[in-house]
Amino acid sequence: MKTYYLKINPEQFESSQLMPAADILVSGGLVAFPTETVYGLGAVVDHETALQNIFQVKGRPGDNPLILHIWHHRQLSGIVETVDPRYQKLIDAFWPGPLTLIFPKKANISPTVTAGLPTVAVRMPSHPVARELLRLVDRPVAAPSANLSGRPSPTRGEHVREDLDGKIPMIIDAGPCQAGIESTVLLLAEKPYILRPGSVTREMVEEILQEPVEVVTSGEKVDRPQAPGMKYRHYAPEAPVTLVEGEELAVIAAINRMIEETGENVVVLAFSEHLDCYRNVTVLDLGPRESPWIAAARLYDLLRSCDQMKAGRIYVEGLEKTGVGTAVENRLFKAAGGNVIHVS
Ligand code: AMP
Ligand code: MG
C-alpha cells in the first residue's frame, strides 16, 4: 500500500486540507494523526474491520483496549451509559486535554474497542489538527499510539513513517507533539485511580476532586484485568535499558561504574546538568532535572535515536516521582522491562 504523507502546519491550516484524511476514516481506512500527547492511529468506532486493522497493523495484543477520541461533549452520550458527577468536574477542568476517563460503556460499542471490558476509555484531544479532523469525521475515533506494538510511541511524523510506512493509507505530519507521553488514564471506582500517569498529574486531579488519588499501574488494586503494558516490555528501544534511581551523585557514580564494565556503544540519558559527568560514551540530554515535562517531550525521540545509533546498552538517570516525573518514570520502568537499580 502506498502511504500518503500529508504535511500540516498546526498553527496555520485550512479545514479543506484535512478532508482527504476525514474521507479515508469515514470509509473505514486508517489515518495516523497528531495529538498533543503522541501520534494516534485512528479508525472510526463503528467500522469493525477498520478497528481490527488497527490491531493487525500495530501487532497489538487483542486484550489491550483502545481509547475513543471525540471533539464535542455531545458525542459522549452516544458512547457511555452514565457520567459520574465527579467525572463532570474533571471534564470541565481538563477537556480538551491529555486526560482519558473510563466510563461504563453503551451496548453498541464494539468489544474490539474495549477488549471485552464493560468499560470504555474516552478523551477529547486539544491538538488543533486532531480536533479539526474529529470535527470533520464527527464520529468517535478509536486510536492507540501510531507505532508498532512494543516500540517507543511516535512523537514526530518521521517516527510514524519508520513504523507504519506502506501499511496505512495516510500519515498526517504536524511536527513534534507537545506533551510527548500518552494521556493520563483515570478510573473512578470507590476511589479514583490513575491507571496510567501522564501530564495531567495526580496532584492536578486531586485538586479538582478534593480527595486522594492513587497511582496504580499494575492493576492489582482495582477490580479489572492487569493493563497489558505491565506484562511486556513496552515503549522499548532495541538495546537493554537500565534505569538507575536514587541520590543524584550516587546515580552518576553507579552509571560510571557500569559503563566501565560494559562493552561497546553505551548511551546514557542524563539531565542537562550532568552531561559532562560521563566519559567516552554518547550522552543524550533529558533536559534540566527540575523540568520533567522536558524529559517527557523528548523521551521517545531519544529512545528512537538510541536505535538509530545502534546503542548496545542504555543507562538512564531516574527522575523524581512527583508531577510529570511520575509519568516519565513509569514509561522508563516499562522500557527497562522492570530493570531498575536503586542506589544511595
Ligand atoms: P494506547 O493504545 O497506547 O493509546 O493506550 C491505551 C491504554 O488505555 C491501554 O493500554 C489501557 O491501559 C488504557 N485503557 C483503555 N481502555 C481501558 C479500559 N476500558 N479500562 C482500563 N484501561 C483502559
Ligand atoms: Mg501505545
Side-chain angles (χ1 to χ4, degrees), residues 158-181:
E158 305 92 88
H159 298 163
V160 182
R161 178 136 68 175
E162 275 166 27
D163 281 16
L164 302 183
D165 191 41
K167 297 186 168 148
I168 57 174
M170 185 179 282
I171 297 170
I172 305 174
D173 179 353
C177 300
Q178 204 192 349
I181 43 168

Side-chain angles (χ1 to χ4, degrees), residues 58 60 64-67 100 102 113-114 117 119-121 143-145 147 153 182 185 195-196 224 227-229 234-235:
K58 280 182 56 92
R60 182 180 175 95
N64 197 354
L66 306 175
I67 294 170
T100 297
I102 296 173
V113 170
T114 64
L117 295 170
T119 52
V120 62
S145 49
N147 55 317
S153 298
E182 301 82 354
V185 177
L195 303 184
R196 177 172 74 184
R224 67 183 43 248
H234 208 66
Y235 314 117

Side-chain angles (χ1 to χ4, degrees), residues 312-336:
R313 177 114 226 159
I314 303 164
Y315 297 112
V316 190
E317 294 186 355
L319 291 92
E320 292 221 34
K321 288 182 223 169
T322 55
V324 183
T326 309
V328 180
E329 198 276 341
N330 165 264
R331 305 309 191 277
L332 283 169
F333 181 87
K334 290 180 180 183

Side-chain angles (χ1 to χ4, degrees), residues 149 157 196 229 248 252 268 330:
S149 221
R196 177 172 74 184
E248 216 174 333
I252 295 169
V268 179
N330 165 264

Side-chain angles (χ1 to χ4, degrees), residues 291-305:
S291 316
W293 53 91
I294 296 181
R298 289 184 186 172
L299 180 67
Y300 292 132
D301 190 47
L302 294 181
L303 292 176
R304 279 178 182 259
S305 14

Side-chain angles (χ1 to χ4, degrees), residues 47 81 124 136 139 142 158 161 188 196 206 230 236 254:
H47 199 296
E81 207 52 66
M124 185 186 285
L136 290 171
R139 296 192 221 163
E158 305 92 88
R161 178 136 68 175
L188 287 181
R196 177 172 74 184
E206 283 179 340
M230 286 308 294

